Each structure stands twice: as C-alpha cells, then as structure tokens.
C-alpha cells in the first residue's frame, strides 16, 4: 500500500458528471433494519467499503446471513425477525462509529454474551451515553476503556422497554441506534433528548429508512422526544442513494477550479442532509442548479463566509479546503462534536491547513480560516478518510501536495483517488 500519494493539479476547470458510490450512512442503517426484518431483503446501490464490510462481517458472525452480489453493490439479507441467532460473539469493527453504535443497541435484543472492539482510536471514542440509555431500558452494557469508551460488552436477555434519556451533544448515532432497535423491544420505549441534538438530518434519515421497512416512530418537540411501539420490520427491496458526503468533494472541485460538476442520483429531496453543502458553496459565490435527480455546482469567484455546519458536520473539512481559495476568512461553527470522530476534526484539521499556508484560529465548536500563500506540503491524514479526501482538493490548484496513507479512504470510498483522477484528466 502506498505511504503517500501526490495530487496532480487539474489541467483546467473541471467539467464533469459523476455518481459517487452508495451512502455509508444509509447502507448501514438499511442493513440493521433488514437484519431485524421477517424475511429476505434486497439492498441495491449499497456501498462496498471498510465501514460496511465490518457491519456485514459482524451480522454474519451473529448468524444473520448477508450475501453480496455485484461486487458488494447489492446485498441480500436474511432477516432474523428481531432476534439475534448467536448466543455469543466477539466482534471487531475497525473504526466504524456507525457499526459499533448500531450493533451495541441491536445486541441487547439477543440472549447471550457479546463483545465489540475496534482499532486504538475507537477505544478513545465515547459510547457511555448509549450504554447508559440501554441500561435504563433493562440491558446490561459495559464500557471497558477509560472515559466510557470501547471495548463494549453486552450481556443480553432481550430489551425490556421503558424510558431513557439520551444526551444530544456528542453523536446523533446514539439516538439512531436506539430508534432502530426499539421496535423489537418487549414494550414501548420513550426517549427524551438532553440538550440540543446534533446532526438532526441523520435522525430524519433513520426515520425514513425505518419507514421503508414498515416501522413508524412518534416524534415530539423538534426532535426532543421519541416514542416507539413494539413492531415488526417487514422485508423489502430498498434502493440506496449515492453518498452525499462523498459528493461534496466533487462539488468542491468545481468551486476550487472554476469548473462545473454534476452529481447524479441526488436532489433536494434526498434523505441525506449533506446535499445542503452546496448552499455553503452558493453563499461563497458558486452557482447551484437543482434537478429532479442531479445537483450541479458551477464555480465562480469565491469569498469567505460564516456558517453553522452542525447539521452537515461531515462536510466541514471539505468547506475548509474550499476556504483556502476564497477572498477573506471563512468561519465554521457548530461542530464541537467533530472532535470525537475518527480524529479531532477541529484541532488536527487546523494543523494541516496551517501546513499548506493558511492562518487558522480554533475555538470550542469550530475554526476560522484565513487564506494565505499556499505552499507544497505533505498532509497527515490521522487515519481519517475525510481528512485525506478533503485536503486532496488543495492539490487541484497547488502543486506539490502529497496525501499520506491514502488507503485510509477505503473506510467509505475505496476508489476516491481513481475517480478524482478521472475528473481532472490525469
């Protein structure tokens, strides 16, 4: 595997049409709902990546068969009807936050002893709030590492139901994990959110995926309370959208090079909130065209903006790369929870932006980027796929940009660099 990759500058404005691979977030949600359904489901347009691979491998180890077709882009899932067939399992999930959080909740439906672990960084990513909520609902979930971090052990005997409080400021994935598991509990579940919920579009996504598998939830007070009655997931054929977070890199490429890029398969009605990233580019001066099944960004003279990216925090690094080519500073706020992702996506992002010549001020929930004279640099990626993909964009205009550990993009987008090369004509 390459230890670094040089990014070749684009030969001119990028003009292209592209369809990114399937959404990781939707793929892993659909896998959970299909696994809990009564019968066989077929998921088309799925993402084949490290994060989905560890989910599939874990489900198979739990006795829930997932068969891959068309190089992993079609997944056939034999649902277990709200049960966990295995009575014990030791699962390894790499650095997949969705997988460990969704499975921790799902395993409480079983009857046996289970343990989930991951890479060293996973053992620094908190999951205690999810464990506390599950324990309040009748489970026995324990975190083995300091700071209430994985490995996680689950001593399962079904999920009783009841009431629990979920903190909203760390990750919406805790809530999504509980929502998807709750219909298979013995009794109704009522969830109350403590504080402001981050990344609300991902909870809406969870709701829509659950509805596609025949389960509805009740929501009160602008996502501050949720009620889920016992229900049975129904198997279905489910089509997965292209990944909107991945699409952000191509829209950003249009902005940086003054080109025009169309992303197919996404629209203003997409399940993924990250399609709204294009509105940030529009605020910076780009032109955006919304179609029924595509979104186009056309680059123009860029100027800095101030934007709250709480709802679309996975695209904050992408906007930071674009900010290097704008006139004036760009201030990104509302992303304090990004410190708990694959890496500290505020402090470590600031380090790499400074490395290429930007001025950066960081604060609790974001950072301000002041463009400077760009320089060649080797970019550390911190085993973070989004750090690699977003800062590769700098190399579209600035020669001498090297991305270390480019293989880390396999987490969500194994073919990213090949697709980027095809767009740039290199």
């Amino acid at each position: 595997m390459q230890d670094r990759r040089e990014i070749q500058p684009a030969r001119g404005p990028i003009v292209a049409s592209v369809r990114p691979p399937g959404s990781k977030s939707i793929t892993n949600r659909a896998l959970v709902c299909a696994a809990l359904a009564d019968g066989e489901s077929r998921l088309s347009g799925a993402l084949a990546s490290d994060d989905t691979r560890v989910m599939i491998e874990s489900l198979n180890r739990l006795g829930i068969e997932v068969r891959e077709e068309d190089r992993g882009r079609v997944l056939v899932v034999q649902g277990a009807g709200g049960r966990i067939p295995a009575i014990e399992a030791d699962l390894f999930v790499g650095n997949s936050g969705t997988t460990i959080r969704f499975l921790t909740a799902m395993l409480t439906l079983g009857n046996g002893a289970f343990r989930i672990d991951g890479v060293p960084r996973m053992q620094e990513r908190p999951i205690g709030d999810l464990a506390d909520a599950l324990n309040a609902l009748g489970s026995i979930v324990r975190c083995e590492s300091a700071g209430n971090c994985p490995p996680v052990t689950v001593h399962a005997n079904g999920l009783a139901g009841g009431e629990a409080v979920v903190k909203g400021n760390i990750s919406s994935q805790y809530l999504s994990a509980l929502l998807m598991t709750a219909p298979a509990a013995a009794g109704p579940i009522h969830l109350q959110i403590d504080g402001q919920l981050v990344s609300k579009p991902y909870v809406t996504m969870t709701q829509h995926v659950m509805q596609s598998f025949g389960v509805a939830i009740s929501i009160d007070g602008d996502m501050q309370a949720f009620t889920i009655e016992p229900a049975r997931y129904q198997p279905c054929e489910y089509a997965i959208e292209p990944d909107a977070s991945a699409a952000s890199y191509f829209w950003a490429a249009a902005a940086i090079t003054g080109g025009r890029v169309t992303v197919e398969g996404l629209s203003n009605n997409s399940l993924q909130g990250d399609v709204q990233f294009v509105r940030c580019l529009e605020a910076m001066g780009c032109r955006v065209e919304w179609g029924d099944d595509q979104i186009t960004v056309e680059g123009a003279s860029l100027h800095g903006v101030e934007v709250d990216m709480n709802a679309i925090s996975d695209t904050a690094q992408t906007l930071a790369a674009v900010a290097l080519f704008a006139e004036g500073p760009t201030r990104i706020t509302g992303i304090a929870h990004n410190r708990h992702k694959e890496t500290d996506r505020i402090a470590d992002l600031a380090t790499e932006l400074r490395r290429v010549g930007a001025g950066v001020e960081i604060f609790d929930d974001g950072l301000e980027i002041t463009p400077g004279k760009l320089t060649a640099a080797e970019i550390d990626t911190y085993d973070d796929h989004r750090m690699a993909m977003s800062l590769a964009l700098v190399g579209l205009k600035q020669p001498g940009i090297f991305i270390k550990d480019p293989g880390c993009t396999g987490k969500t987008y194994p073919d990213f660099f090949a697709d980027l090369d095809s767009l740039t004509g290199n």
Side-chain angles (χ1 to χ4, degrees), residues 25-26 29-31 33 180 204-215 233 238 271:
S25 299
I26 298 178
R29 283 165 171 79
L31 279 168
C33 294
M180 288 188 290
T204 301
M205 176 195 297
T206 301
Q207 178 190 12
H208 281 289
V209 175
M210 291 173 66
Q211 286 175 342
S212 295
F213 285 84
V215 172
Y233 282 108
Y238 187 83
L271 294 186

Side-chain angles (χ1 to χ4, degrees), residues 68-83:
E68 300 181 49
E69 300 177 356
D70 190 19
R71 293 182 294 173
R73 289 176 293 201
V74 174
L75 303 174
V76 181
V77 185
Q78 301 295 331
R83 300 178 299 104

Side-chain angles (χ1 to χ4, degrees), residues 105-110 133-141 156-162 177-178 181-189:
M106 182 178 165
L107 285 172
T108 64
L109 302 173
L134 289 167
N135 290 336
L137 297 171
S139 302
I140 303 175
V141 181
N157 189 27
L159 191 62
L178 291 162
T181 298
I189 288 179

Side-chain angles (χ1 to χ4, degrees), residues 269-326:
N269 296 320
S270 295
L271 294 186
Q272 302 165 82
D274 281 359
V275 297
Q276 302 303 322
F277 172 77
V278 299
R279 299 198 184 277
C280 298
L281 297 179
E282 190 172 44
M284 297 180 82
C286 295
R287 289 180 288 277
V288 178
E289 299 173 11
W290 297 85
D292 292 338
D293 194 44
Q294 63 183 36
I295 304 172
T296 300
V297 170
E298 185 173 340
S301 296
L302 301 172
H303 55 81
V305 292
E306 181 170 347
V307 58
D308 184 335
M309 300 189 75
N310 182 279
I312 55 171
S313 59
D314 275 350
T315 63
Q317 290 149 292
T318 316
L319 194 70
V322 177
L324 300 177
F325 301 93

Side-chain angles (χ1 to χ4, degrees), residues 105-365:
M106 182 178 165
L107 285 172
T108 64
L109 302 173
N111 191 343
F114 307 95
R115 185 176 186 269
I116 318 176
D117 198 3
V119 299
R121 172 60 181 172
M122 180 62 78
Q123 297 170 6
E124 300 172 350
R125 300 178 67 180
I127 198 171
D129 291 338
L130 174 59
D132 290 344
L134 289 167
N135 290 336
L137 297 171
S139 302
I140 303 175
V141 181
R142 299 287 182 266
C143 305
E144 295 182 10
S145 294
N148 286 321
C149 295
V152 178
T153 57
V154 179
H155 294 276
N157 189 27
L159 191 62
E163 299 184 1
V165 176
V166 186
K167 291 183 179 178
N169 65 333
I170 301 296
S171 174
S172 65
Q173 290 175 6
Y174 300 159
L175 177 58
S176 288
L178 291 162
L179 291 175
M180 288 188 290
T181 298
I189 288 179
H190 181 75
L191 303 173
Q192 186 72 39
I193 305 303
D194 178 11
Q196 189 65 30
L197 180 64
V198 300
S199 303
K200 288 182 179 179
Y202 284 93
V203 179
T204 301
M205 176 195 297
T206 301
Q207 178 190 12
H208 281 289
V209 175
M210 291 173 66
Q211 286 175 342
S212 295
F213 285 84
V215 172
I217 59 180
S218 175
I219 304 175
D220 298 322
D222 190 26
M223 292 194 178
Q224 289 303 115
F226 299 77
T227 301
I228 311 95
E229 298 288 340
R232 306 283 284 191
Y233 282 108
Q234 301 304 310
C236 68
E237 294 199 3
Y238 187 83
I240 295 165
E241 297 176 353
D243 195 294
S245 304
S248 74
Y249 308 121
F250 302 116
W251 289 320
I256 289 170
T257 66
R260 180 182 172 87
V261 173
T262 296
V263 173
E264 301 169 357
L266 296 173
S267 71
N268 199 31
N269 296 320
S270 295
L271 294 186
Q272 302 165 82
D274 281 359
V275 297
Q276 302 303 322
F277 172 77
V278 299
R279 299 198 184 277
C280 298
L281 297 179
E282 190 172 44
M284 297 180 82
C286 295
R287 289 180 288 277
V288 178
E289 299 173 11
W290 297 85
D292 292 338
D293 194 44
Q294 63 183 36
I295 304 172
T296 300
V297 170
E298 185 173 340
S301 296
L302 301 172
H303 55 81
V305 292
E306 181 170 347
V307 58
D308 184 335
M309 300 189 75
N310 182 279
I312 55 171
S313 59
D314 275 350
T315 63
Q317 290 149 292
T318 316
L319 194 70
V322 177
L324 300 177
F325 301 93
E327 183 71 27
T330 291
R331 187 178 181 92
I332 300 171
T333 62
I335 59 169
H337 55 288
N338 271 18
R339 295 184 182 275
H340 305 287
K341 300 276 190 173
E342 283 79 349
T343 189
D344 184 335
R345 288 183 176 170
I346 295 178
D348 294 337
L349 175 60
T351 296
E352 301 311 310
L353 294 173
R354 290 170 182 144
R355 198 185 301 276
V356 298
V360 185
E361 177 187 358
I362 64 174
F363 30 93
D364 287 346
D365 75 333

